[in-house]
Amino acid sequence: MLRPQLPMRAKERPAVLVEVQQAEPESINLLVSGQGNVMPKQTTNLIAQVSGQVIETATNFHNGGFFKKGDMLLKIDSRDYEVALQNAKANLAQAKAALAEESARAEVAREEWESLQLGEIPDLGLRKPQVASAVAAMQSAEAAVAKAQRDLDRTIVRAPFDGVLQSKGVDLGQYVNVGSQIAQMMGTEVAEVRVPLSDRDLAYLNLPEAGQTADFPEVRLTSQVAGQNYFWQGKLVRSEGVLDSSSRVIYGVVEVRDPYNRNGQSHEHILRFGRFVALEIEGIFVENVYRIPRYALTADGNVWLVGEDRRLQRTHVEVLRAEENQVIVSEGLNPGDTVVLTQLSNALPSMKVRLPSDPLPEQMEGSGDSNESNAVNSASSDSSADE
């Protein structure tokens, strides 16, 4: 009966716990995402320029074989062309002898005419037409020798550039005619990726101009190979210049040097032709911007901030670029602002919230209950002493 009555307290609704992020300004290069297939910059069909039987092929003359520029792919029987070259050289020797003979006759005719002192010597008297004919015959013989030499050289088919053999059309012992397809080669010096770019993407890119030779945007290529992610570096070197009529996009061209690592200057995994890759293209440079998650932005373009008094404040922000998981804000935030990341369904301005670093309400109440309990125990002990 002597125990004191505890004070009655009204239960208050606890403040909502929210996750927050401090706004920190950054200076960054915007990134433009894309994707595409890796293809060779150079692809050519090798055609036979002379006819004959294939008498020799290179050891790596097969699909997937690698060649350096100038390496022999195959050899065509050259005996007929060697005979033709000898015949052309013999005709050239005859033409030179005929020219020398006509030149000597012309000199004799000139001396005889001068000894007779008959005045001006006519062209026919100096045998100029005969000499000109002999000169033409010699030039024709020289051209025939050059053609015979070219035909002989063409019996050996060589790689026009560093590349890989995609497919072969002939084999050892086969007879080929002029115009027969020998093989198809893909150059391994440079790989290209065509990436579609929309008008929205172009707003954040420094697209290379015609004739530009340096300062190309850097590109990071990503692909999964055998369950692991691999990366390569390239450059956005040009655009194709026209919009695609069906998709209304313009295609940019990304170049990757030495994709098969044939020069041994890179330790990266080889980038095979035909592989599908994702790209991140270096865009324009911006200063004093803020990165926040996309879900922190409300549908009307606002964000919630937490003030020093732990109450909500709503502010409108200008979104410079919306990425897959983040938005980049250019205006509306200040350094140190506390941005609310928790999605609140019934948020109102001045609503009380609690941060993860704040003490729990139960701890505060527990502290108060402990003090009251001590007071009650003290009062009880005093009453017992009086009795």
Side-chain angles (χ1 to χ4, degrees):
M1 293 176 62
L2 299 177
R3 183 167 57 191
Q5 295 291 328
L6 297 178
M8 302 295 294
R9 297 193 307 272
K11 290 188 177 181
E12 296 183 0
R13 185 176 181 180
V16 179
L17 179 65
V18 294
E19 182 184 0
V20 295
Q21 172 184 317
Q22 296 295 324
E24 297 294 338
E26 300 180 62
S27 296
I28 59 174
N29 279 99
L30 299 180
L31 296 178
V32 175
S33 299
Q35 54 191 11
N37 289 315
V38 181
M39 299 301 293
K41 182 177 182 178
Q42 294 175 311
T43 302
T44 185
N45 292 323
L46 299 179
I47 304 298
Q49 295 179 286
V50 294
S51 59
Q53 185 182 23
V54 178
I55 60 173
E56 184 182 351
T57 60
T59 56
N60 53 341
F61 185 69
H62 51 73
N63 295 353
F66 287 90
F67 293 89
K68 288 285 188 179
K69 182 178 180 180
D71 288 350
M72 185 198 76
L73 301 180
L74 57 84
K75 186 175 182 180
I76 299 173
D77 188 2
S78 61
R79 289 175 294 181
D80 293 341
Y81 300 99
E82 292 172 355
V83 172
L85 178 59
Q86 292 177 356
N87 188 29
K89 288 182 178 180
N91 293 334
L92 176 60
Q94 291 179 353
K96 288 182 177 180
L99 177 59
E101 182 180 353
E102 287 299 332
S103 299
R105 289 180 178 178
E107 182 64 22
V108 171
R110 184 184 63 79
E111 292 176 355
E112 291 180 351
W113 194 276
E114 289 180 351
S115 64
L116 296 175
Q117 297 181 357
L118 298 177
E120 186 179 356
I121 308 174
D123 292 342
L124 188 58
L126 292 178
R127 301 184 63 84
K128 286 187 177 181
Q130 291 85 344
V131 173
S133 178
V135 170
M138 187 191 68
Q139 292 175 345
S140 177
E142 289 176 343
V145 170
K147 182 181 183 305
Q149 184 64 57
R150 285 197 305 271
D151 290 342
L152 180 60
D153 295 338
R154 289 167 178 171
T155 58
I156 300 178
V157 180
R158 301 184 183 277
F161 44 71
D162 294 353
V164 58
L165 199 68
Q166 183 179 7
S167 62
K168 64 177 184 178
V170 299
D171 214 332
L172 188 65
Q174 185 173 345
Y175 186 89
V176 295
N177 293 312
V178 176
S180 299
Q181 181 170 333
I182 296 174
Q184 186 174 17
M185 283 195 67
M186 299 185 296
T188 56
E189 296 179 350
V190 180
E192 288 187 344
V193 181
R194 296 175 68 242
V195 53
L197 301 172
S198 64
D199 287 340
R200 186 176 181 181
D201 294 330
L202 296 179
Y204 308 113
L205 280 177
N206 293 317
L207 199 64
E209 300 179 355
Q212 183 174 339
T213 58
D215 299 329
F216 297 114
E218 296 287 339
V219 182
R220 179 183 173 93
L221 295 82
T222 308
S223 182
Q224 193 174 69
V225 182
Q228 297 184 6
N229 288 327
Y230 288 90
F231 306 94
W232 299 269
Q233 287 297 125
K235 294 181 182 294
L236 180 65
V237 296
R238 68 179 189 278
S239 69
E240 294 188 351
V242 294
L243 290 173
D244 186 85
S245 58
S246 57
S247 59
R248 312 306 302 171
V249 299
I250 189 171
Y251 281 90
V253 178
V254 176
E255 286 190 356
V256 180
R257 294 285 176 179
D258 194 18
Y260 280 80
N261 195 21
R262 299 190 64 187
N263 296 327
Q265 298 179 355
S266 174
H267 298 287
E268 297 174 344
H269 194 274
I270 62 174
L271 180 60
R272 301 183 187 276
F273 296 141
R275 182 168 297 282
F276 186 80
V277 293
L279 302 97
E280 289 184 347
I281 306 172
E282 180 185 43
I284 59 177
F285 183 76
V286 291
E287 298 179 338
N288 297 325
V289 294
Y290 301 85
R291 290 179 183 264
I292 60 174
R294 292 194 66 156
Y295 54 80
L297 190 69
T298 63
D300 52 358
N302 297 322
V303 295
W304 291 102
L305 305 179
V306 179
E308 294 292 338
D309 56 354
R310 296 297 188 267
R311 295 189 180 276
L312 292 180
Q313 304 172 7
R314 182 166 55 189
T315 183
H316 182 75
V317 295
E318 293 293 333
V319 177
L320 177 64
R321 177 173 172 80
E323 299 178 347
E324 183 178 1
N325 298 317
Q326 295 179 323
V327 292
I328 299 175
V329 176
S330 59
E331 296 181 7
L333 293 178
N334 296 313
D337 284 349
T338 305
V339 182
V340 177
L341 304 184
T342 304
Q343 301 182 26
L344 301 173
S345 57
N346 297 315
L348 295 173
S350 299
M351 176 178 171
K352 190 77 173 178
V353 295
R354 180 168 54 88
L355 305 185
S357 59
D358 294 342
L360 297 174
E362 290 78 3
Q363 295 176 351
M364 298 177 61
E365 292 177 2
S367 175
D369 293 344
S370 176
N371 294 335
E372 292 172 0
S373 176
N374 292 336
V376 171
N377 293 336
S378 176
S380 300
S381 60
D382 293 344
S383 175
S384 300
D386 293 342
E387 292 177 357

